[in-house]
Amino acid sequence: MERTAVVTDSPCAIQIRGLSKTYKTGFWFTPKVTHALKTVQLDVYENQAFGLMGLNGAGKTTLIKLVLGLLRPTAGSVAVLGGNISQRGVRQRIGYLPELPYFSKQHTGRELLGYFGSLHGLAGSALQHRVDEILDLVRMRSAAGLKVSGYSKGMLQRIGIGQALIGKPRLLICDEPMSGLDPVGYKEMRDIFIDLKKAGTTLFLNTHILDEVERVCDRVGILHEGVLKEVVPISKILESSVPVDYWIDVDGAEAAKLSGMPFQETVRNNGGVQVSGLVLAETLALLTARKAQVKGVRPLSSQVEAYFLKAIGAQAHLNRPIGGRRP
Amino acid sequence: MKRVLAVTAFTFRELIRSRLLFVWLISVIVLCGLDFLLSILSFGSTLQIFMDLGLAGMEISGLLVLLLGLAVTYTTEMDQKAIFLHLAKPLTRGEYLLGRILGFFLVNCLVVLGMGLVIVGLVVFLGGGTVPVLFYECVVFILLEMFVLTTLGLTYQMIATSMVGVVLYTFFTVFLGQCIGEVQWLLNQQLSHWVKVLLRVVYYILPNLEAFNLKDRLYDPNLVLGWAQWQDILLYAFSYSFVVFLIGWINLEKREFR
Ligand SMILES: Nc1ncnc2c1ncn2[C@@H]1O[C@H](COP(=O)(O)OP(=O)(O)OP(=O)(O)O)[C@@H](O)[C@H]1O
Ligand SMILES: [Mg+2]
């Protein structure tokens, strides 16, 4: 597997070299050390969308905080937009959505956006105009006059994305942007990302929603237990021949015909069976020979999911259908 | 500077809208009531005592609002990490700290001056008395004291790792700062060298809150309050605050936000 990036002409938006982060917690007599990141090497190119995938606790948030200067590296360096994050000019061109966007509860959504806009140097009617634009974009115009304390989780997330976009960033860094959004919001957000990308914004997304990665990202990094396992273009994943799981729908009355099949992972559930893509043809042939009525065959996991699980070496352990796709 | 003012306005709005002013209102009513009662019970010049107690009340309510404000904002900014959003913006950490200090101070001014207005109103319109110039001068001294304490409180907020810590540090600083006279007295006693060195360190680190305590010296016949004294107190208040601000800034720059 290639470790470094595909050769691209675009300059780097984020350049990470030998980055490590160790958390020290506990008291001096019971020290506890967590190696959250281990010598990460990564280039994120301009005008591209980069997706960082990883399980809970893989170190995704740690990486973002290091990029933003909220944490200091134990070792290594980060360059952002050709400079250092401590420079005001660099931060001026960055938008950031934290994992849990908390705001001081006493302000309305509109006031918050106005405030963050003014930190980006906007003022007067230009600021008002931009705030209105953002409120429309994240569909929060009608709730803009409400205090944040009365917002739902998804509404907070929308204002969070709004404040990240208010300064028209060149680089947008989002830590799990889809969390808390309803299915409509989810699609809206995806469209926003795709539009931003078209307009030349660099995206850096932390996520474990693999569907989002597939639709938005150009390149993907797989982080596992603090180690950046691979960085691959999404096209390569989609072309890859990592076996995907399939669900074979068999008539319930014929479930008995499923016994004694040569596949390893069977999940019986109202007359269906889950098989790995590797044995799909074989299984179908066998079922036909037994004269079982196959009603349909559909992939259970996406290519991205299968690739991801294989990369972190969790195929057998974590093989499960994506929520909602199970027949 | 525009960004500092944006933070100031943001902080001001946040504090005003939390239930802080409600607490302040209660303390105004309680203190005025107490004031009234005590001044009726005591002999001598009733209005004079009323004003004296009022000044103490202004100081206490200012302090109360400062402590509560520190506690409330610590929860959102530090515990719930709202500060991330500010610091990721094109705002330096020094600007953020300064903006917050000014926002807190503005609220404090509102509280102290608001109470002062109530007292002056009561004295002039209900009591039919006059308010001496010294009363107003006392108010300015209280405001200067509040400025120093606000800077200290917010600096503690940038350093401390818990809300209780911030409130306790601020509270004890206020308490010890009032005792600076006792420290000075100890320094003039026969003590071992090292104790004196320690006391001297304490003496210089703590804010000299007694210097701002004009109200207790109202009847001091030796009290002179000329230009030289004003210069001294202003210089002290602002240079002390400046040093504290720098310490807070350096700490904020070094601080990691996990
Ligand atoms: N403040 C902290 N103190 C100590 N250890 C921490 C701290 N924050 C994170 N860690 C540890 O660092 C590792 C990486 O955490 P991180 O938050 O970066 O994971 P993540 O990939 O963002 O996970 P998630 O998907 O759950 O958000 C974890 O093992 C975690 O226990
Ligand atoms: Mg995370």
PDB file of all heavy atoms in Angstrom, chain A residues 5-11 13 43-51 170-172 196-197 200-205 216-220 231-233:
ATOM      1  N   ALA A   5       1.303  10.369  -0.667  1.00  0.00           N
ATOM      2  CA  ALA A   5       0.158  10.726  -1.482  1.00  0.00           C
ATOM      3  C   ALA A   5       0.378  10.469  -2.960  1.00  0.00           C
ATOM      4  O   ALA A   5       1.487  10.218  -3.400  1.00  0.00           O
ATOM      5  CB  ALA A   5      -0.135  12.195  -1.282  1.00  0.00           C
ATOM      6  N   VAL A   6      -0.700  10.546  -3.683  1.00  0.00           N
ATOM      7  CA  VAL A   6      -0.613  10.513  -5.133  1.00  0.00           C
ATOM      8  C   VAL A   6       0.137  11.765  -5.572  1.00  0.00           C
ATOM      9  O   VAL A   6       0.037  12.799  -4.947  1.00  0.00           O
ATOM     10  CB  VAL A   6      -2.009  10.629  -5.778  1.00  0.00           C
ATOM     11  CG1 VAL A   6      -2.237   9.508  -6.738  1.00  0.00           C
ATOM     12  CG2 VAL A   6      -3.069  10.789  -4.755  1.00  0.00           C
ATOM     13  N   VAL A   7       0.841  11.671  -6.650  1.00  0.00           N
ATOM     14  CA  VAL A   7       1.572  12.841  -7.119  1.00  0.00           C
ATOM     15  C   VAL A   7       0.564  13.834  -7.689  1.00  0.00           C
ATOM     16  O   VAL A   7      -0.208  13.512  -8.585  1.00  0.00           O
ATOM     17  CB  VAL A   7       2.598  12.444  -8.192  1.00  0.00           C
ATOM     18  CG1 VAL A   7       3.446  13.626  -8.572  1.00  0.00           C
ATOM     19  CG2 VAL A   7       3.451  11.303  -7.677  1.00  0.00           C
ATOM     20  N   THR A   8       0.569  15.001  -7.118  1.00  0.00           N
ATOM     21  CA  THR A   8      -0.356  16.039  -7.565  1.00  0.00           C
ATOM     22  C   THR A   8       0.425  17.328  -7.740  1.00  0.00           C
ATOM     23  O   THR A   8       1.427  17.536  -7.074  1.00  0.00           O
ATOM     24  CB  THR A   8      -1.464  16.278  -6.521  1.00  0.00           C
ATOM     25  OG1 THR A   8      -1.916  15.022  -6.066  1.00  0.00           O
ATOM     26  CG2 THR A   8      -2.592  17.063  -7.092  1.00  0.00           C
ATOM     27  N   ASP A   9      -0.078  18.180  -8.607  1.00  0.00           N
ATOM     28  CA  ASP A   9       0.602  19.459  -8.809  1.00  0.00           C
ATOM     29  C   ASP A   9       0.190  20.490  -7.769  1.00  0.00           C
ATOM     30  O   ASP A   9       0.909  21.446  -7.525  1.00  0.00           O
ATOM     31  CB  ASP A   9       0.290  20.008 -10.208  1.00  0.00           C
ATOM     32  CG  ASP A   9       0.924  19.110 -11.260  1.00  0.00           C
ATOM     33  OD1 ASP A   9       1.943  18.488 -10.936  1.00  0.00           O
ATOM     34  OD2 ASP A   9       0.382  19.026 -12.372  1.00  0.00           O
ATOM     35  N   SER A  10      -1.003  20.264  -7.156  1.00  0.00           N
ATOM     36  CA  SER A  10      -1.496  21.292  -6.243  1.00  0.00           C
ATOM     37  C   SER A  10      -0.570  21.468  -5.060  1.00  0.00           C
ATOM     38  O   SER A  10       0.019  20.514  -4.584  1.00  0.00           O
ATOM     39  CB  SER A  10      -2.884  20.945  -5.724  1.00  0.00           C
ATOM     40  OG  SER A  10      -3.421  19.870  -6.401  1.00  0.00           O
ATOM     41  N   PRO A  11      -0.445  22.703  -4.596  1.00  0.00           N
ATOM     42  CA  PRO A  11       0.354  22.923  -3.390  1.00  0.00           C
ATOM     43  C   PRO A  11      -0.355  22.377  -2.161  1.00  0.00           C
ATOM     44  O   PRO A  11      -1.536  22.042  -2.212  1.00  0.00           O
ATOM     45  CB  PRO A  11       0.451  24.450  -3.320  1.00  0.00           C
ATOM     46  CG  PRO A  11      -0.663  24.971  -4.150  1.00  0.00           C
ATOM     47  CD  PRO A  11      -1.007  23.930  -5.151  1.00  0.00           C
ATOM     48  N   ALA A  13      -2.133  22.356   1.391  1.00  0.00           N
ATOM     49  CA  ALA A  13      -2.872  23.185   2.330  1.00  0.00           C
ATOM     50  C   ALA A  13      -2.419  22.859   3.747  1.00  0.00           C
ATOM     51  O   ALA A  13      -2.286  23.737   4.587  1.00  0.00           O
ATOM     52  CB  ALA A  13      -4.368  22.953   2.182  1.00  0.00           C
ATOM     53  N   ASP A  43       0.171  14.984   3.653  1.00  0.00           N
ATOM     54  CA  ASP A  43      -0.022  16.192   2.865  1.00  0.00           C
ATOM     55  C   ASP A  43      -1.478  16.264   2.456  1.00  0.00           C
ATOM     56  O   ASP A  43      -2.031  15.298   1.953  1.00  0.00           O
ATOM     57  CB  ASP A  43       0.830  16.154   1.591  1.00  0.00           C
ATOM     58  CG  ASP A  43       2.295  16.344   1.908  1.00  0.00           C
ATOM     59  OD1 ASP A  43       2.592  17.098   2.843  1.00  0.00           O
ATOM     60  OD2 ASP A  43       3.137  15.728   1.224  1.00  0.00           O
ATOM     61  N   VAL A  44      -2.083  17.407   2.694  1.00  0.00           N
ATOM     62  CA  VAL A  44      -3.434  17.640   2.205  1.00  0.00           C
ATOM     63  C   VAL A  44      -3.332  18.711   1.133  1.00  0.00           C
ATOM     64  O   VAL A  44      -2.839  19.805   1.397  1.00  0.00           O
ATOM     65  CB  VAL A  44      -4.363  18.106   3.348  1.00  0.00           C
ATOM     66  CG1 VAL A  44      -5.733  18.461   2.803  1.00  0.00           C
ATOM     67  CG2 VAL A  44      -4.478  17.035   4.413  1.00  0.00           C
ATOM     68  N   TYR A  45      -3.761  18.377  -0.082  1.00  0.00           N
ATOM     69  CA  TYR A  45      -3.579  19.307  -1.193  1.00  0.00           C
ATOM     70  C   TYR A  45      -4.686  20.323  -1.270  1.00  0.00           C
ATOM     71  O   TYR A  45      -5.824  20.068  -0.875  1.00  0.00           O
ATOM     72  CB  TYR A  45      -3.477  18.530  -2.506  1.00  0.00           C
ATOM     73  CG  TYR A  45      -2.342  17.559  -2.502  1.00  0.00           C
ATOM     74  CD1 TYR A  45      -2.575  16.192  -2.577  1.00  0.00           C
ATOM     75  CD2 TYR A  45      -1.034  18.018  -2.368  1.00  0.00           C
ATOM     76  CE1 TYR A  45      -1.523  15.295  -2.536  1.00  0.00           C
ATOM     77  CE2 TYR A  45       0.016  17.129  -2.316  1.00  0.00           C
ATOM     78  CZ  TYR A  45      -0.227  15.771  -2.402  1.00  0.00           C
ATOM     79  OH  TYR A  45       0.808  14.900  -2.346  1.00  0.00           O
ATOM     80  N   GLU A  46      -4.353  21.455  -1.816  1.00  0.00           N
ATOM     81  CA  GLU A  46      -5.364  22.498  -1.993  1.00  0.00           C
ATOM     82  C   GLU A  46      -6.392  22.070  -3.028  1.00  0.00           C
ATOM     83  O   GLU A  46      -6.111  21.275  -3.917  1.00  0.00           O
ATOM     84  CB  GLU A  46      -4.689  23.815  -2.396  1.00  0.00           C
ATOM     85  CG  GLU A  46      -4.057  24.474  -1.189  1.00  0.00           C
ATOM     86  CD  GLU A  46      -3.698  25.929  -1.428  1.00  0.00           C
ATOM     87  OE1 GLU A  46      -4.149  26.507  -2.434  1.00  0.00           O
ATOM     88  OE2 GLU A  46      -2.959  26.483  -0.604  1.00  0.00           O
ATOM     89  N   ASN A  47      -7.575  22.637  -2.879  1.00  0.00           N
ATOM     90  CA  ASN A  47      -8.698  22.372  -3.786  1.00  0.00           C
ATOM     91  C   ASN A  47      -9.141  20.918  -3.808  1.00  0.00           C
ATOM     92  O   ASN A  47      -9.718  20.459  -4.776  1.00  0.00           O
ATOM     93  CB  ASN A  47      -8.370  22.800  -5.226  1.00  0.00           C
ATOM     94  CG  ASN A  47      -7.871  24.207  -5.285  1.00  0.00           C
ATOM     95  OD1 ASN A  47      -8.379  25.064  -4.541  1.00  0.00           O
ATOM     96  ND2 ASN A  47      -6.889  24.466  -6.110  1.00  0.00           N
ATOM     97  N   GLN A  48      -8.826  20.211  -2.754  1.00  0.00           N
ATOM     98  CA  GLN A  48      -9.281  18.831  -2.680  1.00  0.00           C
ATOM     99  C   GLN A  48     -10.025  18.615  -1.380  1.00  0.00           C
ATOM    100  O   GLN A  48      -9.897  19.408  -0.451  1.00  0.00           O
ATOM    101  CB  GLN A  48      -8.076  17.885  -2.707  1.00  0.00           C
ATOM    102  CG  GLN A  48      -7.477  17.716  -4.075  1.00  0.00           C
ATOM    103  CD  GLN A  48      -6.626  16.473  -4.146  1.00  0.00           C
ATOM    104  OE1 GLN A  48      -6.378  15.798  -3.158  1.00  0.00           O
ATOM    105  NE2 GLN A  48      -6.165  16.170  -5.354  1.00  0.00           N
ATOM    106  N   ALA A  49     -10.783  17.543  -1.346  1.00  0.00           N
ATOM    107  CA  ALA A  49     -11.434  17.178  -0.097  1.00  0.00           C
ATOM    108  C   ALA A  49     -10.726  15.957   0.459  1.00  0.00           C
ATOM    109  O   ALA A  49     -10.604  14.943  -0.230  1.00  0.00           O
ATOM    110  CB  ALA A  49     -12.899  16.877  -0.324  1.00  0.00           C
ATOM    111  N   PHE A  50     -10.258  16.098   1.691  1.00  0.00           N
ATOM    112  CA  PHE A  50      -9.549  15.001   2.328  1.00  0.00           C
ATOM    113  C   PHE A  50     -10.396  14.455   3.466  1.00  0.00           C
ATOM    114  O   PHE A  50     -10.910  15.208   4.277  1.00  0.00           O
ATOM    115  CB  PHE A  50      -8.205  15.480   2.849  1.00  0.00           C
ATOM    116  CG  PHE A  50      -7.383  14.383   3.469  1.00  0.00           C
ATOM    117  CD1 PHE A  50      -6.572  13.586   2.686  1.00  0.00           C
ATOM    118  CD2 PHE A  50      -7.447  14.145   4.833  1.00  0.00           C
ATOM    119  CE1 PHE A  50      -5.840  12.557   3.240  1.00  0.00           C
ATOM    120  CE2 PHE A  50      -6.713  13.107   5.404  1.00  0.00           C
ATOM    121  CZ  PHE A  50      -5.903  12.323   4.598  1.00  0.00           C
ATOM    122  N   GLY A  51     -10.555  13.164   3.513  1.00  0.00           N
ATOM    123  CA  GLY A  51     -11.328  12.559   4.594  1.00  0.00           C
ATOM    124  C   GLY A  51     -10.432  11.725   5.484  1.00  0.00           C
ATOM    125  O   GLY A  51      -9.663  10.898   5.002  1.00  0.00           O
ATOM    126  N   ARG A 170     -10.448  29.386   2.962  1.00  0.00           N
ATOM    127  CA  ARG A 170      -9.794  28.632   1.884  1.00  0.00           C
ATOM    128  C   ARG A 170      -9.692  27.169   2.309  1.00  0.00           C
ATOM    129  O   ARG A 170      -9.651  26.272   1.490  1.00  0.00           O
ATOM    130  CB  ARG A 170      -8.358  29.150   1.642  1.00  0.00           C
ATOM    131  CG  ARG A 170      -8.219  30.534   1.156  1.00  0.00           C
ATOM    132  CD  ARG A 170      -8.031  30.645  -0.363  1.00  0.00           C
ATOM    133  NE  ARG A 170      -7.301  29.549  -0.972  1.00  0.00           N
ATOM    134  CZ  ARG A 170      -7.832  28.744  -1.883  1.00  0.00           C
ATOM    135  NH1 ARG A 170      -9.082  28.884  -2.256  1.00  0.00           N
ATOM    136  NH2 ARG A 170      -7.102  27.775  -2.411  1.00  0.00           N
ATOM    137  N   LEU A 171      -9.575  27.002   3.612  1.00  0.00           N
ATOM    138  CA  LEU A 171      -9.444  25.651   4.165  1.00  0.00           C
ATOM    139  C   LEU A 171     -10.495  25.466   5.250  1.00  0.00           C
ATOM    140  O   LEU A 171     -10.561  26.242   6.189  1.00  0.00           O
ATOM    141  CB  LEU A 171      -8.034  25.484   4.756  1.00  0.00           C
ATOM    142  CG  LEU A 171      -7.780  24.247   5.614  1.00  0.00           C
ATOM    143  CD1 LEU A 171      -7.924  22.982   4.803  1.00  0.00           C
ATOM    144  CD2 LEU A 171      -6.387  24.317   6.232  1.00  0.00           C
ATOM    145  N   LEU A 172     -11.311  24.456   5.070  1.00  0.00           N
ATOM    146  CA  LEU A 172     -12.360  24.189   6.051  1.00  0.00           C
ATOM    147  C   LEU A 172     -12.046  22.878   6.761  1.00  0.00           C
ATOM    148  O   LEU A 172     -11.896  21.841   6.118  1.00  0.00           O
ATOM    149  CB  LEU A 172     -13.714  24.101   5.346  1.00  0.00           C
ATOM    150  CG  LEU A 172     -14.920  23.822   6.240  1.00  0.00           C
ATOM    151  CD1 LEU A 172     -15.160  24.971   7.187  1.00  0.00           C
ATOM    152  CD2 LEU A 172     -16.162  23.570   5.396  1.00  0.00           C
ATOM    153  N   LEU A 196     -18.773  23.827  -2.003  1.00  0.00           N
ATOM    154  CA  LEU A 196     -17.541  24.476  -1.528  1.00  0.00           C
ATOM    155  C   LEU A 196     -16.342  23.968  -2.309  1.00  0.00           C
ATOM    156  O   LEU A 196     -15.449  24.721  -2.684  1.00  0.00           O
ATOM    157  CB  LEU A 196     -17.329  24.195  -0.040  1.00  0.00           C
ATOM    158  CG  LEU A 196     -18.180  24.987   0.943  1.00  0.00           C
ATOM    159  CD1 LEU A 196     -18.038  24.416   2.339  1.00  0.00           C
ATOM    160  CD2 LEU A 196     -17.796  26.460   0.944  1.00  0.00           C
ATOM    161  N   LYS A 197     -16.347  22.683  -2.542  1.00  0.00           N
ATOM    162  CA  LYS A 197     -15.237  22.069  -3.259  1.00  0.00           C
ATOM    163  C   LYS A 197     -15.161  22.621  -4.681  1.00  0.00           C
ATOM    164  O   LYS A 197     -14.091  22.946  -5.172  1.00  0.00           O
ATOM    165  CB  LYS A 197     -15.439  20.559  -3.286  1.00  0.00           C
ATOM    166  CG  LYS A 197     -14.157  19.795  -3.261  1.00  0.00           C
ATOM    167  CD  LYS A 197     -14.394  18.332  -3.056  1.00  0.00           C
ATOM    168  CE  LYS A 197     -14.880  17.672  -4.325  1.00  0.00           C
ATOM    169  NZ  LYS A 197     -14.997  16.211  -4.151  1.00  0.00           N
ATOM    170  N   GLY A 200     -13.517  25.793  -4.914  1.00  0.00           N
ATOM    171  CA  GLY A 200     -12.080  25.814  -4.675  1.00  0.00           C
ATOM    172  C   GLY A 200     -11.660  25.790  -3.218  1.00  0.00           C
ATOM    173  O   GLY A 200     -10.505  26.062  -2.896  1.00  0.00           O
ATOM    174  N   THR A 201     -12.586  25.462  -2.326  1.00  0.00           N
ATOM    175  CA  THR A 201     -12.216  25.356  -0.911  1.00  0.00           C
ATOM    176  C   THR A 201     -11.596  23.997  -0.640  1.00  0.00           C
ATOM    177  O   THR A 201     -12.063  22.990  -1.161  1.00  0.00           O
ATOM    178  CB  THR A 201     -13.481  25.506  -0.032  1.00  0.00           C
ATOM    179  OG1 THR A 201     -14.167  26.676  -0.438  1.00  0.00           O
ATOM    180  CG2 THR A 201     -13.118  25.611   1.435  1.00  0.00           C
ATOM    181  N   THR A 202     -10.551  23.997   0.145  1.00  0.00           N
ATOM    182  CA  THR A 202      -9.969  22.728   0.573  1.00  0.00           C
ATOM    183  C   THR A 202     -10.747  22.224   1.776  1.00  0.00           C
ATOM    184  O   THR A 202     -11.023  22.989   2.694  1.00  0.00           O
ATOM    185  CB  THR A 202      -8.496  22.938   0.969  1.00  0.00           C
ATOM    186  OG1 THR A 202      -7.846  23.642  -0.080  1.00  0.00           O
ATOM    187  CG2 THR A 202      -7.816  21.616   1.219  1.00  0.00           C
ATOM    188  N   LEU A 203     -11.102  20.954   1.748  1.00  0.00           N
ATOM    189  CA  LEU A 203     -11.851  20.398   2.871  1.00  0.00           C
ATOM    190  C   LEU A 203     -11.019  19.357   3.590  1.00  0.00           C
ATOM    191  O   LEU A 203     -10.352  18.540   2.966  1.00  0.00           O
ATOM    192  CB  LEU A 203     -13.145  19.734   2.386  1.00  0.00           C
ATOM    193  CG  LEU A 203     -14.146  20.577   1.617  1.00  0.00           C
ATOM    194  CD1 LEU A 203     -15.324  19.710   1.187  1.00  0.00           C
ATOM    195  CD2 LEU A 203     -14.647  21.717   2.472  1.00  0.00           C
ATOM    196  N   PHE A 204     -11.106  19.414   4.907  1.00  0.00           N
ATOM    197  CA  PHE A 204     -10.506  18.364   5.723  1.00  0.00           C
ATOM    198  C   PHE A 204     -11.609  17.870   6.642  1.00  0.00           C
ATOM    199  O   PHE A 204     -12.069  18.604   7.508  1.00  0.00           O
ATOM    200  CB  PHE A 204      -9.335  18.918   6.533  1.00  0.00           C
ATOM    201  CG  PHE A 204      -8.580  17.869   7.308  1.00  0.00           C
ATOM    202  CD1 PHE A 204      -7.324  17.452   6.888  1.00  0.00           C
ATOM    203  CD2 PHE A 204      -9.114  17.293   8.448  1.00  0.00           C
ATOM    204  CE1 PHE A 204      -6.626  16.484   7.589  1.00  0.00           C
ATOM    205  CE2 PHE A 204      -8.422  16.317   9.151  1.00  0.00           C
ATOM    206  CZ  PHE A 204      -7.173  15.913   8.723  1.00  0.00           C
ATOM    207  N   LEU A 205     -12.047  16.646   6.438  1.00  0.00           N
ATOM    208  CA  LEU A 205     -13.169  16.128   7.213  1.00  0.00           C
ATOM    209  C   LEU A 205     -12.740  14.919   8.039  1.00  0.00           C
ATOM    210  O   LEU A 205     -12.111  14.001   7.527  1.00  0.00           O
ATOM    211  CB  LEU A 205     -14.318  15.700   6.291  1.00  0.00           C
ATOM    212  CG  LEU A 205     -14.779  16.698   5.235  1.00  0.00           C
ATOM    213  CD1 LEU A 205     -15.861  16.064   4.373  1.00  0.00           C
ATOM    214  CD2 LEU A 205     -15.309  17.966   5.873  1.00  0.00           C
ATOM    215  N   VAL A 216     -18.000  12.737  -0.997  1.00  0.00           N
ATOM    216  CA  VAL A 216     -17.403  14.071  -0.950  1.00  0.00           C
ATOM    217  C   VAL A 216     -15.888  14.057  -1.196  1.00  0.00           C
ATOM    218  O   VAL A 216     -15.366  14.930  -1.882  1.00  0.00           O
ATOM    219  CB  VAL A 216     -17.709  14.751   0.411  1.00  0.00           C
ATOM    220  CG1 VAL A 216     -17.045  16.108   0.479  1.00  0.00           C
ATOM    221  CG2 VAL A 216     -19.200  14.878   0.634  1.00  0.00           C
ATOM    222  N   CYS A 217     -15.204  13.071  -0.645  1.00  0.00           N
ATOM    223  CA  CYS A 217     -13.751  13.171  -0.574  1.00  0.00           C
ATOM    224  C   CYS A 217     -13.034  12.717  -1.843  1.00  0.00           C
ATOM    225  O   CYS A 217     -13.497  11.839  -2.551  1.00  0.00           O
ATOM    226  CB  CYS A 217     -13.238  12.362   0.606  1.00  0.00           C
ATOM    227  SG  CYS A 217     -13.842  13.019   2.144  1.00  0.00           S
ATOM    228  N   ASP A 218     -11.895  13.374  -2.090  1.00  0.00           N
ATOM    229  CA  ASP A 218     -11.032  12.960  -3.185  1.00  0.00           C
ATOM    230  C   ASP A 218      -9.971  11.988  -2.694  1.00  0.00           C
ATOM    231  O   ASP A 218      -9.568  11.075  -3.393  1.00  0.00           O
ATOM    232  CB  ASP A 218     -10.315  14.172  -3.785  1.00  0.00           C
ATOM    233  CG  ASP A 218     -11.294  15.204  -4.274  1.00  0.00           C
ATOM    234  OD1 ASP A 218     -12.138  14.843  -5.111  1.00  0.00           O
ATOM    235  OD2 ASP A 218     -11.242  16.354  -3.802  1.00  0.00           O
ATOM    236  N   ARG A 219      -9.529  12.256  -1.477  1.00  0.00           N
ATOM    237  CA  ARG A 219      -8.496  11.382  -0.902  1.00  0.00           C
ATOM    238  C   ARG A 219      -8.896  11.015   0.514  1.00  0.00           C
ATOM    239  O   ARG A 219      -9.593  11.765   1.192  1.00  0.00           O
ATOM    240  CB  ARG A 219      -7.140  12.075  -0.896  1.00  0.00           C
ATOM    241  CG  ARG A 219      -6.439  12.010  -2.248  1.00  0.00           C
ATOM    242  CD  ARG A 219      -5.248  12.919  -2.262  1.00  0.00           C
ATOM    243  NE  ARG A 219      -4.129  12.392  -1.509  1.00  0.00           N
ATOM    244  CZ  ARG A 219      -3.547  13.027  -0.509  1.00  0.00           C
ATOM    245  NH1 ARG A 219      -4.001  14.191  -0.099  1.00  0.00           N
ATOM    246  NH2 ARG A 219      -2.517  12.500   0.101  1.00  0.00           N
ATOM    247  N   VAL A 220      -8.388   9.900   0.938  1.00  0.00           N
ATOM    248  CA  VAL A 220      -8.792   9.375   2.223  1.00  0.00           C
ATOM    249  C   VAL A 220      -7.568   8.906   2.998  1.00  0.00           C
ATOM    250  O   VAL A 220      -6.652   8.306   2.430  1.00  0.00           O
ATOM    251  CB  VAL A 220      -9.752   8.180   1.998  1.00  0.00           C
ATOM    252  CG1 VAL A 220      -9.919   7.379   3.256  1.00  0.00           C
ATOM    253  CG2 VAL A 220     -11.091   8.665   1.497  1.00  0.00           C
ATOM    254  N   VAL A 231      -2.856   6.434   2.926  1.00  0.00           N
ATOM    255  CA  VAL A 231      -3.518   7.572   2.306  1.00  0.00           C
ATOM    256  C   VAL A 231      -3.748   7.191   0.852  1.00  0.00           C
ATOM    257  O   VAL A 231      -2.792   6.901   0.138  1.00  0.00           O
ATOM    258  CB  VAL A 231      -2.652   8.837   2.390  1.00  0.00           C
ATOM    259  CG1 VAL A 231      -3.331   9.984   1.691  1.00  0.00           C
ATOM    260  CG2 VAL A 231      -2.374   9.191   3.837  1.00  0.00           C
ATOM    261  N   VAL A 232      -4.999   7.121   0.456  1.00  0.00           N
ATOM    262  CA  VAL A 232      -5.294   6.688  -0.917  1.00  0.00           C
ATOM    263  C   VAL A 232      -6.343   7.576  -1.561  1.00  0.00           C
ATOM    264  O   VAL A 232      -7.208   8.104  -0.875  1.00  0.00           O
ATOM    265  CB  VAL A 232      -5.834   5.237  -0.945  1.00  0.00           C
ATOM    266  CG1 VAL A 232      -4.725   4.247  -0.837  1.00  0.00           C
ATOM    267  CG2 VAL A 232      -6.889   5.022   0.112  1.00  0.00           C
ATOM    268  N   PRO A 233      -6.266   7.715  -2.882  1.00  0.00           N
ATOM    269  CA  PRO A 233      -7.343   8.431  -3.565  1.00  0.00           C
ATOM    270  C   PRO A 233      -8.610   7.576  -3.528  1.00  0.00           C
ATOM    271  O   PRO A 233      -8.525   6.349  -3.584  1.00  0.00           O
ATOM    272  CB  PRO A 233      -6.841   8.576  -5.005  1.00  0.00           C
ATOM    273  CG  PRO A 233      -5.476   8.027  -5.029  1.00  0.00           C
ATOM    274  CD  PRO A 233      -5.209   7.282  -3.792  1.00  0.00           C
TER     275      PRO A 233
END
